[in-house]
Amino acid sequence: MFSKSQMIRIAVLLFSLLLGSLIKPLRADEGMWLPVLLKQLNEPRMQAMGLKLKAEDIYSINKSSLKDAVVQFGRGCTGEIVSNQGLLITNHHCGYGQIQQHSSLENDYLKKGFWAKSHQEELPNAGLTVTFIIRMEDVSKQIMEGFDTVLTEASREQLVASRSLDLVRQAIDGTHYEAVVRPMYQGNAYYLFVMEVFRDIRLVGAPPASVGNYGGDTDNWSWPRHTGDFSVFRIYAGKDNKPADYSKDNVPFKPRHFFPVNTSGLKENDFTMVYGFPGRTNEYLSSYAVEQIVKHDNPLKVSLRAKRLEVMKPSMDANREVFIKYASKYSSVSNYHKKWAGETKGLLAADAIGKKQQFEAEFIRRIGADARFKTFDALLPKIKALHDTLSRFQPEADLMTEGVLTVEVIKLAQNLKELIEMKGAVFAEKMKTEQAQGWIKLLSSFKKDYYAPIDRQIMKNMLEVYMRQSVVKALPENLKQIAGNTDAIHISAVVDYMFETSILDNPEVLLGAIAMADSTLPGRLQTDPLAQCALFYNDYYRRVPGKEVQRLQTALAGLGRQYIEAQRLVFTERPFYPDANFTLRLAYGKAEGYSPSATVHYPWYTDAEGILEKYAGGNPDYELDSILAVKIRSKDFGAYADKSGKLRTCFIASNHTTGGNSGSPVLNGKGELVGVNFDRNWEGTMSDIFYDINQVRNISVDIRYVLFLIDKVAGAGHLVREMKLVR
Ligand code: GLU
């Protein structure tokens, strides 16, 4: 029996435990979940956190559901449908390539923004697609039947490929759909995705880059943020509402679902979810892999990218035409340059290697204690041995893929390889084929965005780094000859010589020769020093470091698959979600700030006054749009202000996202659109490899800021009226 005072103490303890569980806010969950498994794995948890819907409302094949308003935009982003006329919102940085393609000195849409006043003015984008998921299905049984007998990686791959092909054929037979089978958990499960792919996607509008990319490199991957990172497109379909190639007779697509737009916004700690197509994560890597990334891979790649950016920036700043040509290239190089730097920093700060080692120690302890797990004994030692070898080859490969092979003429030569190596006699015949049309197209778009002085300097930098850091130091014969066969090769002079004598860096000449079916062209390219050097490096990469890294990566992938399966069997107490692989996923969390250090706390949202404040600091990355400035100064926010009369710009939440989630809808508990996801915070860029709920936040632009910019700054209120606004 307990004494009275003991009883009181127990009562107090129980009460405080109960209270604790009531008042301690529910922690958001790490994970990018497969929509088809939400009912089974996540529904109760999500509802406890504030979801007002059922799993069935988020993903269903029997009725329209939220998934029908979520699309993969292009190959690497997400978008959401916001009207019954196929109107689509994604990020400014996702539409950047298209905006850049339509821009010129006369129509500088990057600088001034673009808004179509009618459907007729919307701009088509060759090659751009938008993909809906019709359904997904677990096909692990069909794909992996008989896989428990030992198979080599190669025969396993072959079986997966041929069985996938059969399943894809069956799935799309008699339909206009496409389908694909994707591995989950590194190949411990397989899912079939049936998709509807639209091909006529038109640009409706985009704010000027000073708004859509406000803060530029300075603010990228960081919080607090004030970026209006959105652009607007429209999906067009044939008269039957099915995908069609571009035609002026196409009509706006009628979607199965579109998101209502909520204009009252979120409150702190409100439930949110992000629905989209996250690209790549590697959450189940060994400590050896993380160590290689932190100590070797990332630092090398970051330094190589810095050397390219260093060359582009001054030329772009000096000449607007060059700026337009290189805007999209620059931002894609700088984006991951900064991301990898942040990732390395975050992994070190979180002691990810140490924590992975602890996890591995526990793994070893558990498998040692259970006879069923005997077969896992050799896994980690084998992984370690492979990483020891890989860490010697990976830098050689990276010095190529992130270095020498990024030179634009070197890439061009690879794409023209067949032309370069052709016999003069067959040239005239070839000129009549479709392949020649392909070369003309390729060279025309190369010409549009090429500026040889930048490329020449990048080639110098990349070759210099390569000759300094590579162990192999592979050099083409012709380059050695140009340099006079000395050991002390003067890269800069050799590259100058190559560019001065080459025609490869002159697309005009190449196009002219093709147009005239000039049969001397292949011969000239066969003695062209730059073309020969380019072909050498492409070939060398494929034969040596590329091949070796590929071999080791295949072996590691096989072990990785076994390791993740082992983790799932050994750590049954924790849920496992498959790594991101550009398939449709749902992440959920809460609107919440974070503390990057003991003395700093970041609130969960920003407002428009911050735009003026950042601008006042004088950093050129904070460029102020003049109309926007007037509206902010006069607090002319219309219906888009919050209750206190302020205009909210961006917010953060604890949703687990990655690249590919750019442009994803951020939804409230009722499935209404409250924001557009566009980034992560600096401390959280490591989350592709190591997730820490206290530090990782996704960054979204508040949908009210988007509406305000469309309606009150761009004067395109008709688009807002096309949407369904709810409060
Ligand atoms: N801003 C990121 C990018 O441009 C996308 C979002 C993320 O990775 O969290 O790749």
Side-chain angles (χ1 to χ4, degrees), residues 385-443:
L386 276 174
H387 272 287
D388 288 344
T389 316
L390 183 64
S391 60
R392 291 206 313 275
F393 285 97
Q394 190 71 49
E396 295 293 330
D398 290 344
L399 282 165
M400 286 288 133
T401 54
E402 281 291 326
V404 177
L405 301 186
T406 65
V407 175
E408 291 173 81
V409 278
I410 294 189
K411 278 191 274 191
L412 180 68
Q414 183 61 20
N415 291 325
L416 297 176
K417 188 171 189 310
E418 216 177 307
L419 170 68
I420 299 174
E421 290 175 343
M422 190 174 289
K423 299 259 181 299
V426 290
F427 183 70
E429 273 311 300
K430 264 281 170 185
M431 285 306 100
K432 296 180 197 131
T433 65
E434 226 169 77
Q435 197 177 15
Q437 290 311 310
W439 291 330
I440 293 173
K441 236 168 124 184
L442 175 81
L443 281 164

Side-chain angles (χ1 to χ4, degrees), residues 93 220-221 335-336 657-659 662 677-680:
H93 79 263
N220 195 17
W221 302 108
N335 193 30
Y336 264 61
T657 57
T658 186
S662 285
N677 182 73
F678 71 93
D679 209 2
R680 268 172 292 165

Side-chain angles (χ1 to χ4, degrees), residues 535-574:
L535 289 185
F536 169 85
Y537 278 115
N538 282 303
D539 181 61
Y540 164 73
Y541 171 71
R542 220 175 13 82
R543 273 188 304 110
V544 189
K547 189 171 175 193
E548 195 55 24
V549 164
Q550 168 97 49
R551 184 185 70 77
L552 292 162
Q553 293 286 14
T554 307
L556 270 171
L559 290 173
R561 183 181 67 243
Q562 294 166 42
Y563 183 40
I564 187 170
E565 183 60 5
Q567 292 178 53
R568 288 168 77 193
L569 291 169
V570 170
F571 294 90
T572 44
E573 74 275 18
R574 78 174 253 212

Side-chain angles (χ1 to χ4, degrees), residues 93 96 209-210 212-225 227 305-306 308-310 312-313 316-317 323 326-339 341 614 619-623 679-680 682:
H93 79 263
Y96 202 68
S210 58
N213 187 25
Y214 186 73
D217 278 353
T218 305
D219 276 7
N220 195 17
W221 302 108
S222 69
W223 179 254
R225 211 54 178 276
T227 316
R305 288 203 168 200
R308 288 157 72 194
L309 295 172
E310 221 161 73
M312 290 186 215
K313 183 102 172 56
M316 290 168 73
D317 287 346
F323 182 93
Y326 277 76
S328 188
K329 296 176 197 173
Y330 183 91
S331 68
S332 70
V333 179
S334 71
N335 193 30
Y336 264 61
H337 165 256
K338 195 167 176 190
K339 151 87 199 290
K614 282 179 173 171
N619 175 339
D621 276 346
Y622 302 121
E623 212 189 311
D679 209 2
R680 268 172 292 165
W682 188 238

Side-chain angles (χ1 to χ4, degrees), residues 59 97 170 383 584 664:
Y59 175 88
Q170 284 164 28
I383 291 175
L584 184 63
S664 295

Side-chain angles (χ1 to χ4, degrees), residues 296-305 394-395 398-399 469:
H296 306 291
D297 300 355
N298 277 359
L300 176 59
K301 292 192 291 186
V302 169
S303 73
L304 287 166
R305 288 203 168 200
Q394 190 71 49
D398 290 344
L399 282 165
Q469 301 202 16

